[in-house]
Amino acid sequence: MKYTVITGASSGIGYEAALAFAARGKHLILAARRTEALDLLKNKIAELNPELDVVVRTVDLSIAADVHAFYESLKGYSIETWINNAGFGNFASVGEQNLPKIEQMLHLNIEALTILSTLYVRDYANTRGTQIINISSGGGYTIVPDAVTYCATKFYVSAFTEGLAQELQSKGAPMQAKVLAPAATETEFAERAFDLDQFQYEGRVPKFHTAEQMAGFLLDLYDSQNVVGIVNGLTYEFELKDPIFPYAARAASKPVDSNEYYE
C-alpha cells in the first residue's frame, strides 16, 4: 500500500487535506502534537471509508531529534506523497517578538521541513509518482508588516521548494516538488500568531478562505504539473504557476565556480 503523509494534521489545512485525500482513497499517515485530535480525525475517516489505513503519529516537530525519529518510524511504509504542513506564525515587530516562540517557529517552519524534505527526497526522488508539497504562505512571497520573521521563514520554504523542484527536474528525477502559498485562511493560525484564545475571522478579516477551500486548492496543485499554487493577495483567486524565484541554471559542461553564485 502507498501512503500520503501530512504533518500538522490535527486542525486547519492539514485536517481538511487529510479528509480530501481520504476522499481520493489515499491511505494516510497523519502527524501532529495532539493525540486526541488525531484519533478523532482517524475515526472520522474510518466512518467515511473503513477500508483506508490511517496511521497516526504524535510528535513535536519543533524538536530535531523527534523529527528524525518520526521519519525513521515510517521506514516500513511506502510513501507516494509527503505534505509538510506543520508550522505556525507570529505577529510582532522584530524588536518586540518573543524569542522562545521565535526559536520554536524557526525549528518547526524551517528546520523540521528541511530535514523531512531531505530524508524523503533521499529515499524517493527516483520513485515514479511521488510528490513533496511544502506549505508556505502569501507571506512567503510578500513581506507583511509586523510579521517579518514569520515571512522570512516562509520565504525560505518557498525558495527551498522551488529550488528543489528545479534541482529534481535538472537531474531528470521523476519526483515532483511543489509549494502551496495560502493567503488568510480560517484556521487556528491567527490564535497562535497573536497568542489569543480565540479569533473570529468573520467581520475582522476582509477576505479569507476556509481550510476546506484551501485543501481543495492543494488538490488542484497536486493534480497539476505546476510548481507553485498561490492565492492572489488582491483578488484571492487561486493561481497555478511555474517557479517564481529566479534560478541560476548552469550548463552541464561548465565547471562549478562557487564564487559565481554566492558572492
Side-chain angles (χ1 to χ4, degrees), residues 164-173 247:
L164 172 59
Q166 301 268 22
E167 183 177 275
L168 290 169
Q169 185 179 23
S170 70
K171 292 181 176 181
Y247 184 72

Side-chain angles (χ1 to χ4, degrees), residues 155-255:
F155 264 80
Y156 175 89
V157 173
S158 298
F160 174 79
T161 311
E162 287 194 19
L164 172 59
Q166 301 268 22
E167 183 177 275
L168 290 169
Q169 185 179 23
S170 70
K171 292 181 176 181
M175 176 185 284
Q176 294 178 289
K178 302 175 180 180
V179 57
L180 180 73
T185 307
E186 190 177 24
T187 65
E188 295 177 358
F189 174 87
E191 295 167 5
R192 186 77 184 275
F194 289 108
D195 296 316
L196 299 172
D197 293 330
Q198 193 173 23
F199 184 89
Q200 184 68 40
Y201 278 76
E202 193 68 43
R204 297 185 67 178
V205 180
K207 293 181 180 180
F208 62 89
H209 290 110
T210 66
E212 184 177 5
Q213 287 174 314
M214 282 309 310
F217 297 152
L218 175 58
L219 283 181
D220 291 341
L221 176 62
Y222 173 82
D223 290 335
S224 78
Q225 295 299 311
N226 296 93
V227 171
V228 179
I230 187 169
V231 174
N232 185 302
L234 297 176
T235 66
Y236 265 61
E237 294 180 356
F238 182 66
E239 301 171 354
L240 294 169
K241 294 178 174 287
D242 292 330
I244 294 171
F245 291 126
Y247 184 72
R250 61 175 182 265
S253 61
K254 184 179 178 180

Side-chain angles (χ1 to χ4, degrees), residues 39-60:
D39 287 339
L40 289 173
L41 176 56
K42 179 177 180 178
N43 292 338
K44 183 171 183 177
I45 293 171
E47 293 174 0
L48 298 173
N49 188 344
E51 296 183 0
L52 294 182
D53 188 25
V54 180
V55 179
V56 298
R57 289 285 191 272
T58 303
V59 59
D60 185 348

Side-chain angles (χ1 to χ4, degrees), residues 10 21 53 57-58 77 79-80 101-102 106 113 115-117 139 149 167-169 193 197 210 214 223 246:
S10 60
F21 276 87
D53 188 25
R57 289 285 191 272
T58 303
Y77 299 93
I79 301 169
E80 66 176 354
K101 180 182 179 183
I102 293 302
L106 293 172
L113 179 139
I115 292 170
L116 293 174
S117 296
T149 306
E167 183 177 275
L168 290 169
Q169 185 179 23
D197 293 330
T210 66
M214 282 309 310
D223 290 335

Side-chain angles (χ1 to χ4, degrees), residues 90-152:
N90 183 71
F91 280 91
S93 65
V94 172
E96 297 177 348
Q97 59 191 3
N98 180 331
L99 273 180
K101 180 182 179 183
I102 293 302
E103 289 169 359
Q104 185 182 28
M105 184 176 72
L106 293 172
H107 288 313
L108 182 59
N109 292 12
I110 295 177
E111 185 177 46
L113 179 139
T114 305
I115 292 170
L116 293 174
S117 296
T118 301
L119 293 172
Y120 183 61
V121 170
R122 185 173 295 170
D123 288 343
Y124 288 92
N126 294 313
T127 302
R128 294 203 172 277
T130 55
Q131 291 194 37
I132 181 166
I133 304 176
N134 290 329
I135 309 303
S136 181
S137 166
Y141 291 94
T142 302
I143 299 173
V144 178
D146 287 330
V148 171
T149 306
Y150 167 69
C151 288

